[in-house]
Amino acid sequence: MTILSKERRDFCIECRKETEYTLQKKDIIKNIKDKDYNFSITVAVCTECGEEMSVPGLMDKNIREIDEQYREAEGLISIDDIERFMKIYNIGKGPLSLAIGFGEVTIPRYLEGQVPSKEYSDIIKSAISSPEYMKKKLIENRERITDTAYRKAYNAAVSMERLFSVSDNMLRVIAYIFKKLEEVTPLMLQKLLYFTQGVYLALYRKPIFVEDCRAWVHGPVYPEVYELFRDFKYNPIDDARFALLSGMEDTLKDNEKKVIELVVNTFGIYSGKVLEKITHNESPWKEARIGYGESIPSNELLSKDQIMNYYIQTNNKYGIDTEDGLRKYINDMLNNIF
């Protein structure tokens, strides 16, 4: 039995019998390199005597917990981030190690659990967060890796630079949407961005991001975002490049987070196709599509003023500064559609 088992029972040495146990958090102090650290680890506690129990898998879990918390405390790269690093640049661990100027076995050792120095960790973090920096390291170490490995990694870096073709706040909003939802398709993302912009404009009279929206066949679309994720088509977006955005959402303002959460908690429970139908029944998209047949492409602008005016009226009627108000609006729209 492992600690993930639903039936949590094991032998308690205090009770001298098999008993049930619960998993709880325990704070400990551990000295590493002459420095004390506070860690929170998982312990198994007997439900009968209240003493800690030793159960299968728990020691390994504690090692992982301490490792993760130590790295976080020291600002060191995690094993998960290194694995994402390899995926982002489409390169193996040995070639990657050489490409950023390390010895060939350095990255493999880090993946096995060796903790990197702060200097090496910062180099890896810089390469993850900056495609330009990664391109520079690739060029510097061009002779150390094969032509194939170099070409794949360099092309991946060029591809990732497109991620920064949109504004920082657009990236922050996207990152926060992905943090809040498990699965998002490109179609769903486009509509959530549109609703986020609309609600924010209505409540604060200014845009949450600068990008302009276009009235495409399948509803409002931000073309720059479309280009980023077009390869996923109708599938959920699973993009290693988003490791580059890790933590970006933390710099969103409180009112920005509030609006994104309002949208995600209401519109975010519907599929992209349902959200598309809602936008098709809103006046900004309908007015921008006047003169176009149902399946005729257009690139007509949905101006921020149009979107703001519509959502101000919607706010006056429904009170879309609350989830209840937004749900009433959505229900009325769906009743008109179906």
Side-chain angles (χ1 to χ4, degrees):
M1 183 177 70
T2 71
I3 61 170
L4 298 179
S5 171
K6 289 184 179 179
E7 184 185 7
R8 293 195 172 116
R9 296 182 64 85
D10 211 299
F11 188 81
C12 174
I13 58 173
E14 296 295 329
C15 297
R16 306 304 300 170
K17 64 178 181 178
E18 188 176 272
T19 63
E20 292 184 355
Y21 64 86
T22 60
L23 296 178
Q24 301 177 17
K25 287 296 184 180
K26 176 184 178 181
D27 293 332
I28 64 170
I29 297 175
K30 190 173 180 64
N31 187 280
I32 301 175
K33 296 180 180 178
D34 297 324
K35 183 177 177 181
D36 287 338
Y37 295 86
N38 293 309
F39 297 115
S40 177
I41 64 170
T42 304
V43 295
V45 178
C46 175
T47 57
E48 293 192 19
C49 71
E51 295 296 322
E52 290 183 23
M53 296 168 55
S54 176
V55 300
L58 192 54
M59 185 176 292
D60 289 340
K61 181 177 178 64
N62 292 159
I63 291 171
R64 290 194 302 271
E65 289 171 332
I66 291 172
D67 179 72
E68 290 169 2
Q69 292 171 51
Y70 172 74
R71 288 172 189 257
E72 185 176 352
E74 291 296 314
L76 302 177
I77 196 80
S78 70
I79 293 175
D80 287 345
D81 281 339
I82 295 174
E83 289 174 344
R84 279 193 288 269
F85 187 20
M86 293 165 55
K87 187 176 179 182
I88 287 170
Y89 286 102
N90 194 22
I91 191 171
K93 52 192 175 183
L96 176 58
S97 198
L98 295 171
I100 56 177
F102 299 167
E104 188 170 8
V105 299
T106 304
I107 292 291
R109 284 176 178 165
Y110 292 163
L111 291 171
E112 291 170 359
Q114 181 177 315
V115 178
S117 67
K118 187 71 166 62
E119 177 188 0
Y120 275 31
S121 176
D122 287 347
I123 290 173
I124 299 171
K125 284 185 174 182
S126 295
I128 291 176
S129 63
S130 170
E132 183 178 354
Y133 180 83
M134 183 60 182
K135 284 167 62 177
K136 177 185 173 185
K137 299 301 288 185
L138 283 165
I139 292 169
E140 287 177 359
N141 297 288
R142 173 69 183 85
E143 302 303 319
R144 302 184 71 198
I145 59 176
T146 66
D147 289 343
T148 300
Y150 175 84
R151 190 166 54 252
K152 284 183 177 180
Y154 193 88
N155 288 342
V158 171
S159 171
M160 281 187 298
E161 285 181 317
R162 293 202 302 267
L163 192 61
F164 297 93
S165 64
V166 300
S167 66
D168 285 348
N169 232 43
M170 172 66 91
L171 290 176
R172 293 184 187 110
V173 173
I174 292 173
Y176 201 49
I177 288 172
F178 273 73
K179 183 176 180 178
K180 292 293 180 179
L181 294 173
E182 290 185 8
E183 284 193 355
V184 183
T185 64
L187 179 64
M188 184 180 182
L189 176 62
Q190 288 285 352
K191 304 308 168 268
L192 293 178
L193 290 173
Y194 168 76
F195 293 131
T196 297
Q197 183 75 294
V199 174
Y200 195 84
L201 284 165
L203 299 185
Y204 300 104
R205 304 300 197 269
K206 61 182 180 180
I208 192 170
F209 44 72
V210 300
E211 282 77 9
D212 280 319
C213 195
R214 303 287 170 171
W216 286 15
V217 170
H218 294 290
V221 168
Y222 294 91
E224 302 93 336
V225 178
Y226 172 81
E227 290 299 325
L228 289 179
F229 304 113
R230 65 185 303 170
D231 292 344
F232 292 94
K233 299 180 181 178
Y234 292 100
N235 300 310
I237 297 170
D238 180 16
D239 198 331
R241 291 177 299 175
F242 265 86
L244 299 179
L245 308 185
S246 178
M248 279 193 73
E249 70 278 1
D250 294 339
T251 58
L252 285 166
K253 299 173 183 174
D254 288 344
N255 58 351
E256 293 171 337
K257 287 184 178 180
K258 173 191 171 184
V259 169
I260 298 167
E261 288 167 5
L262 280 172
V263 169
V264 166
N265 293 340
T266 53
F267 290 102
I269 67 174
Y270 298 97
S271 70
K273 293 304 291 183
V274 171
L275 299 179
E276 175 186 323
K277 290 182 182 296
I278 292 174
T279 63
H280 281 193
N281 281 272
E282 294 183 336
S283 60
W285 184 86
K286 288 197 294 185
E287 290 171 4
R289 291 285 300 178
I290 291 174
Y292 290 91
E294 186 176 318
S295 59
I296 301 300
S298 80
N299 203 38
E300 297 292 338
L301 176 69
L302 283 174
S303 74
K304 294 182 181 71
D305 284 342
Q306 283 177 292
I307 299 170
M308 180 171 67
N309 291 335
Y310 175 80
Y311 275 95
I312 286 174
Q313 294 174 15
T314 302
N315 186 40
N316 290 338
K317 182 176 180 180
Y318 293 94
I320 60 174
D321 58 333
T322 68
E323 289 185 20
D324 285 344
L326 272 177
R327 290 192 185 99
K328 289 176 184 175
Y329 170 68
I330 293 169
N331 288 336
D332 281 359
M333 294 296 287
L334 294 179
N335 287 336
N336 290 333
I337 295 167
F338 298 106

